[in-house]
PDB file of all heavy atoms in Angstrom:
ATOM      1  N   LEU V   1       0.822  -1.209   0.000  1.00  0.00           N
ATOM      2  CA  LEU V   1       0.000   0.000   0.000  1.00  0.00           C
ATOM      3  C   LEU V   1       0.854   1.255   0.000  1.00  0.00           C
ATOM      4  O   LEU V   1       0.569   2.212  -0.736  1.00  0.00           O
ATOM      5  CB  LEU V   1      -0.927  -0.006   1.220  1.00  0.00           C
ATOM      6  CG  LEU V   1      -1.975  -1.122   1.251  1.00  0.00           C
ATOM      7  CD1 LEU V   1      -2.755  -1.080   2.555  1.00  0.00           C
ATOM      8  CD2 LEU V   1      -2.928  -1.016   0.058  1.00  0.00           C
ATOM      9  N   SER V   2       1.928   1.251   0.790  1.00  0.00           N
ATOM     10  CA  SER V   2       2.779   2.438   0.859  1.00  0.00           C
ATOM     11  C   SER V   2       3.607   2.634  -0.406  1.00  0.00           C
ATOM     12  O   SER V   2       4.068   3.744  -0.681  1.00  0.00           O
ATOM     13  CB  SER V   2       3.703   2.340   2.076  1.00  0.00           C
ATOM     14  OG  SER V   2       4.552   1.207   1.976  1.00  0.00           O
ATOM     15  N   ALA V   3       3.789   1.563  -1.193  1.00  0.00           N
ATOM     16  CA  ALA V   3       4.628   1.650  -2.398  1.00  0.00           C
ATOM     17  C   ALA V   3       3.818   1.776  -3.678  1.00  0.00           C
ATOM     18  O   ALA V   3       4.392   1.716  -4.770  1.00  0.00           O
ATOM     19  CB  ALA V   3       5.539   0.428  -2.480  1.00  0.00           C
ATOM     20  N   GLU V   4       2.515   1.964  -3.567  1.00  0.00           N
ATOM     21  CA  GLU V   4       1.664   1.934  -4.769  1.00  0.00           C
ATOM     22  C   GLU V   4       2.127   2.930  -5.834  1.00  0.00           C
ATOM     23  O   GLU V   4       2.113   2.628  -7.037  1.00  0.00           O
ATOM     24  CB  GLU V   4       0.212   2.202  -4.394  1.00  0.00           C
ATOM     25  CG  GLU V   4      -0.732   2.114  -5.581  1.00  0.00           C
ATOM     26  CD  GLU V   4      -2.207   2.197  -5.193  1.00  0.00           C
ATOM     27  OE1 GLU V   4      -2.493   2.405  -3.992  1.00  0.00           O
ATOM     28  OE2 GLU V   4      -3.060   2.055  -6.095  1.00  0.00           O
ATOM     29  N   LYS V   5       2.549   4.109  -5.418  1.00  0.00           N
ATOM     30  CA  LYS V   5       2.955   5.120  -6.389  1.00  0.00           C
ATOM     31  C   LYS V   5       4.363   4.871  -6.934  1.00  0.00           C
ATOM     32  O   LYS V   5       4.767   5.508  -7.915  1.00  0.00           O
ATOM     33  CB  LYS V   5       2.880   6.508  -5.751  1.00  0.00           C
ATOM     34  CG  LYS V   5       1.457   6.936  -5.400  1.00  0.00           C
ATOM     35  CD  LYS V   5       1.436   8.340  -4.817  1.00  0.00           C
ATOM     36  CE  LYS V   5       0.020   8.768  -4.479  1.00  0.00           C
ATOM     37  NZ  LYS V   5      -0.029  10.139  -3.883  1.00  0.00           N
ATOM     38  N   SER V   6       5.078   3.939  -6.314  1.00  0.00           N
ATOM     39  CA  SER V   6       6.468   3.688  -6.733  1.00  0.00           C
ATOM     40  C   SER V   6       6.583   2.589  -7.775  1.00  0.00           C
ATOM     41  O   SER V   6       7.603   2.511  -8.481  1.00  0.00           O
ATOM     42  CB  SER V   6       7.318   3.309  -5.511  1.00  0.00           C
ATOM     43  OG  SER V   6       7.302   4.332  -4.547  1.00  0.00           O
ATOM     44  N   VAL V   7       5.596   1.713  -7.860  1.00  0.00           N
ATOM     45  CA  VAL V   7       5.699   0.585  -8.782  1.00  0.00           C
ATOM     46  C   VAL V   7       5.132   0.964 -10.143  1.00  0.00           C
ATOM     47  O   VAL V   7       4.291   1.869 -10.264  1.00  0.00           O
ATOM     48  CB  VAL V   7       4.949  -0.654  -8.239  1.00  0.00           C
ATOM     49  CG1 VAL V   7       5.519  -1.084  -6.896  1.00  0.00           C
ATOM     50  CG2 VAL V   7       3.454  -0.390  -8.133  1.00  0.00           C
ATOM     51  N   ASN V   8       5.605   0.254 -11.155  1.00  0.00           N
ATOM     52  CA  ASN V   8       5.062   0.423 -12.504  1.00  0.00           C
ATOM     53  C   ASN V   8       3.801  -0.426 -12.598  1.00  0.00           C
ATOM     54  O   ASN V   8       3.884  -1.659 -12.574  1.00  0.00           O
ATOM     55  CB  ASN V   8       6.091  -0.027 -13.544  1.00  0.00           C
ATOM     56  CG  ASN V   8       5.603   0.150 -14.968  1.00  0.00           C
ATOM     57  OD1 ASN V   8       4.420   0.391 -15.204  1.00  0.00           O
ATOM     58  ND2 ASN V   8       6.510   0.020 -15.920  1.00  0.00           N
ATOM     59  N   PRO V   9       2.626   0.171 -12.694  1.00  0.00           N
ATOM     60  CA  PRO V   9       1.383  -0.607 -12.641  1.00  0.00           C
ATOM     61  C   PRO V   9       1.216  -1.591 -13.788  1.00  0.00           C
ATOM     62  O   PRO V   9       0.475  -2.564 -13.663  1.00  0.00           O
ATOM     63  CB  PRO V   9       0.289   0.469 -12.677  1.00  0.00           C
ATOM     64  CG  PRO V   9       0.935   1.655 -13.319  1.00  0.00           C
ATOM     65  CD  PRO V   9       2.365   1.623 -12.885  1.00  0.00           C
ATOM     66  N   SER V  10       1.913  -1.363 -14.898  1.00  0.00           N
ATOM     67  CA  SER V  10       1.752  -2.244 -16.057  1.00  0.00           C
ATOM     68  C   SER V  10       2.709  -3.432 -16.040  1.00  0.00           C
ATOM     69  O   SER V  10       2.651  -4.283 -16.937  1.00  0.00           O
ATOM     70  CB  SER V  10       1.941  -1.456 -17.353  1.00  0.00           C
ATOM     71  OG  SER V  10       3.260  -0.933 -17.436  1.00  0.00           O
ATOM     72  N   THR V  11       3.584  -3.517 -15.047  1.00  0.00           N
ATOM     73  CA  THR V  11       4.504  -4.646 -14.957  1.00  0.00           C
ATOM     74  C   THR V  11       3.725  -5.935 -14.730  1.00  0.00           C
ATOM     75  O   THR V  11       2.823  -5.991 -13.887  1.00  0.00           O
ATOM     76  CB  THR V  11       5.509  -4.456 -13.809  1.00  0.00           C
ATOM     77  OG1 THR V  11       6.266  -3.268 -14.042  1.00  0.00           O
ATOM     78  CG2 THR V  11       6.454  -5.644 -13.697  1.00  0.00           C
ATOM     79  N   ASN V  12       4.079  -6.979 -15.471  1.00  0.00           N
ATOM     80  CA  ASN V  12       3.413  -8.275 -15.280  1.00  0.00           C
ATOM     81  C   ASN V  12       3.560  -8.733 -13.833  1.00  0.00           C
ATOM     82  O   ASN V  12       4.623  -8.562 -13.224  1.00  0.00           O
ATOM     83  CB  ASN V  12       4.031  -9.337 -16.185  1.00  0.00           C
ATOM     84  CG  ASN V  12       3.619  -9.206 -17.633  1.00  0.00           C
ATOM     85  OD1 ASN V  12       2.774  -8.389 -17.982  1.00  0.00           O
ATOM     86  ND2 ASN V  12       4.235 -10.013 -18.491  1.00  0.00           N
ATOM     87  N   LEU V  13       2.511  -9.372 -13.322  1.00  0.00           N
ATOM     88  CA  LEU V  13       2.578  -9.975 -11.994  1.00  0.00           C
ATOM     89  C   LEU V  13       2.514 -11.503 -12.117  1.00  0.00           C
ATOM     90  O   LEU V  13       3.434 -12.207 -11.735  1.00  0.00           O
ATOM     91  CB  LEU V  13       1.448  -9.451 -11.107  1.00  0.00           C
ATOM     92  CG  LEU V  13       1.442  -9.917  -9.646  1.00  0.00           C
ATOM     93  CD1 LEU V  13       2.790  -9.748  -8.983  1.00  0.00           C
ATOM     94  CD2 LEU V  13       0.353  -9.183  -8.868  1.00  0.00           C
ATOM     95  N   ASN V  14       1.434 -12.032 -12.679  1.00  0.00           N
ATOM     96  CA  ASN V  14       1.278 -13.470 -12.899  1.00  0.00           C
ATOM     97  C   ASN V  14       0.984 -13.735 -14.365  1.00  0.00           C
ATOM     98  O   ASN V  14       0.578 -12.838 -15.110  1.00  0.00           O
ATOM     99  CB  ASN V  14       0.151 -14.042 -12.050  1.00  0.00           C
ATOM    100  CG  ASN V  14       0.390 -13.939 -10.554  1.00  0.00           C
ATOM    101  OD1 ASN V  14      -0.544 -13.967  -9.777  1.00  0.00           O
ATOM    102  ND2 ASN V  14       1.634 -13.801 -10.123  1.00  0.00           N
ATOM    103  N   PHE V  15       1.186 -14.985 -14.798  1.00  0.00           N
ATOM    104  CA  PHE V  15       0.821 -15.382 -16.153  1.00  0.00           C
ATOM    105  C   PHE V  15       0.506 -16.867 -16.180  1.00  0.00           C
ATOM    106  O   PHE V  15       0.832 -17.607 -15.249  1.00  0.00           O
ATOM    107  CB  PHE V  15       1.929 -15.037 -17.162  1.00  0.00           C
ATOM    108  CG  PHE V  15       3.227 -15.759 -16.971  1.00  0.00           C
ATOM    109  CD1 PHE V  15       3.478 -16.982 -17.602  1.00  0.00           C
ATOM    110  CD2 PHE V  15       4.245 -15.215 -16.189  1.00  0.00           C
ATOM    111  CE1 PHE V  15       4.689 -17.638 -17.454  1.00  0.00           C
ATOM    112  CE2 PHE V  15       5.461 -15.857 -16.031  1.00  0.00           C
ATOM    113  CZ  PHE V  15       5.687 -17.084 -16.666  1.00  0.00           C
ATOM    114  N   VAL V  16      -0.165 -17.296 -17.245  1.00  0.00           N
ATOM    115  CA  VAL V  16      -0.500 -18.709 -17.408  1.00  0.00           C
ATOM    116  C   VAL V  16       0.098 -19.242 -18.697  1.00  0.00           C
ATOM    117  O   VAL V  16       0.258 -18.510 -19.677  1.00  0.00           O
ATOM    118  CB  VAL V  16      -2.029 -18.951 -17.416  1.00  0.00           C
ATOM    119  CG1 VAL V  16      -2.603 -18.813 -16.022  1.00  0.00           C
ATOM    120  CG2 VAL V  16      -2.748 -18.036 -18.387  1.00  0.00           C
ATOM    121  N   THR V  17       0.432 -20.545 -18.640  1.00  0.00           N
ATOM    122  CA  THR V  17       0.998 -21.218 -19.811  1.00  0.00           C
ATOM    123  C   THR V  17       0.280 -22.541 -20.025  1.00  0.00           C
ATOM    124  O   THR V  17      -0.428 -23.034 -19.147  1.00  0.00           O
ATOM    125  CB  THR V  17       2.501 -21.512 -19.621  1.00  0.00           C
ATOM    126  OG1 THR V  17       2.650 -22.599 -18.697  1.00  0.00           O
ATOM    127  CG2 THR V  17       3.253 -20.299 -19.116  1.00  0.00           C
ATOM    128  N   THR V  18       0.500 -23.128 -21.191  1.00  0.00           N
ATOM    129  CA  THR V  18      -0.094 -24.430 -21.511  1.00  0.00           C
ATOM    130  C   THR V  18       0.747 -25.592 -21.011  1.00  0.00           C
ATOM    131  O   THR V  18       0.455 -26.741 -21.349  1.00  0.00           O
ATOM    132  CB  THR V  18      -0.266 -24.568 -23.035  1.00  0.00           C
ATOM    133  OG1 THR V  18       1.024 -24.479 -23.664  1.00  0.00           O
ATOM    134  CG2 THR V  18      -1.179 -23.482 -23.593  1.00  0.00           C
ATOM    135  N   ASN V  19       1.764 -25.338 -20.213  1.00  0.00           N
ATOM    136  CA  ASN V  19       2.623 -26.426 -19.723  1.00  0.00           C
ATOM    137  C   ASN V  19       1.823 -27.449 -18.929  1.00  0.00           C
ATOM    138  O   ASN V  19       0.960 -27.098 -18.128  1.00  0.00           O
ATOM    139  CB  ASN V  19       3.752 -25.869 -18.865  1.00  0.00           C
ATOM    140  CG  ASN V  19       4.746 -25.064 -19.673  1.00  0.00           C
ATOM    141  OD1 ASN V  19       4.538 -23.875 -19.881  1.00  0.00           O
ATOM    142  ND2 ASN V  19       5.800 -25.697 -20.143  1.00  0.00           N
ATOM    143  N   ASP V  20       2.144 -28.713 -19.152  1.00  0.00           N
ATOM    144  CA  ASP V  20       1.465 -29.825 -18.495  1.00  0.00           C
ATOM    145  C   ASP V  20       2.131 -30.047 -17.140  1.00  0.00           C
ATOM    146  O   ASP V  20       3.193 -30.663 -17.043  1.00  0.00           O
ATOM    147  CB  ASP V  20       1.589 -31.077 -19.378  1.00  0.00           C
ATOM    148  CG  ASP V  20       0.807 -32.262 -18.841  1.00  0.00           C
ATOM    149  OD1 ASP V  20       0.086 -32.096 -17.841  1.00  0.00           O
ATOM    150  OD2 ASP V  20       0.917 -33.356 -19.425  1.00  0.00           O
ATOM    151  N   ILE V  21       1.506 -29.529 -16.075  1.00  0.00           N
ATOM    152  CA  ILE V  21       2.057 -29.672 -14.730  1.00  0.00           C
ATOM    153  C   ILE V  21       1.017 -30.323 -13.824  1.00  0.00           C
ATOM    154  O   ILE V  21      -0.145 -30.488 -14.200  1.00  0.00           O
ATOM    155  CB  ILE V  21       2.483 -28.318 -14.127  1.00  0.00           C
ATOM    156  CG1 ILE V  21       1.236 -27.454 -13.872  1.00  0.00           C
ATOM    157  CG2 ILE V  21       3.485 -27.615 -15.017  1.00  0.00           C
ATOM    158  CD1 ILE V  21       1.479 -26.306 -12.930  1.00  0.00           C
ATOM    159  N   ILE V  22       1.441 -30.673 -12.621  1.00  0.00           N
ATOM    160  CA  ILE V  22       0.536 -31.254 -11.623  1.00  0.00           C
ATOM    161  C   ILE V  22       1.165 -30.984 -10.258  1.00  0.00           C
ATOM    162  O   ILE V  22       2.282 -30.454 -10.169  1.00  0.00           O
ATOM    163  CB  ILE V  22       0.307 -32.758 -11.892  1.00  0.00           C
ATOM    164  CG1 ILE V  22      -1.006 -33.243 -11.299  1.00  0.00           C
ATOM    165  CG2 ILE V  22       1.481 -33.576 -11.392  1.00  0.00           C
ATOM    166  CD1 ILE V  22      -2.244 -32.671 -11.957  1.00  0.00           C
ATOM    167  N   GLY V  23       0.504 -31.373  -9.170  1.00  0.00           N
ATOM    168  CA  GLY V  23       1.054 -31.188  -7.841  1.00  0.00           C
ATOM    169  C   GLY V  23       2.462 -31.741  -7.744  1.00  0.00           C
ATOM    170  O   GLY V  23       2.724 -32.868  -8.148  1.00  0.00           O
ATOM    171  N   GLY V  24       3.382 -30.958  -7.200  1.00  0.00           N
ATOM    172  CA  GLY V  24       4.795 -31.315  -7.184  1.00  0.00           C
ATOM    173  C   GLY V  24       5.601 -30.359  -8.039  1.00  0.00           C
ATOM    174  O   GLY V  24       6.814 -30.222  -7.867  1.00  0.00           O
ATOM    175  N   ASN V  25       4.916 -29.648  -8.945  1.00  0.00           N
ATOM    176  CA  ASN V  25       5.589 -28.678  -9.800  1.00  0.00           C
ATOM    177  C   ASN V  25       5.686 -27.301  -9.154  1.00  0.00           C
ATOM    178  O   ASN V  25       6.336 -26.408  -9.718  1.00  0.00           O
ATOM    179  CB  ASN V  25       4.882 -28.546 -11.152  1.00  0.00           C
ATOM    180  CG  ASN V  25       5.357 -29.541 -12.178  1.00  0.00           C
ATOM    181  OD1 ASN V  25       4.593 -30.376 -12.657  1.00  0.00           O
ATOM    182  ND2 ASN V  25       6.627 -29.462 -12.534  1.00  0.00           N
ATOM    183  N   SER V  26       5.034 -27.081  -8.029  1.00  0.00           N
ATOM    184  CA  SER V  26       5.147 -25.777  -7.373  1.00  0.00           C
ATOM    185  C   SER V  26       6.612 -25.489  -7.068  1.00  0.00           C
ATOM    186  O   SER V  26       7.314 -26.319  -6.506  1.00  0.00           O
ATOM    187  CB  SER V  26       4.328 -25.762  -6.086  1.00  0.00           C
ATOM    188  OG  SER V  26       2.948 -25.845  -6.360  1.00  0.00           O
TER     189      SER V  26
END
C-alpha cells in the first residue's frame, strides 16, 4: 500500500501457460 505510487502498474505480476504440470511442480 505504501509503495503503490512507486511501482510500474503495467509490470506483469502473474501469467498462465499451456505447460502440463501437476502437484509437485510448485
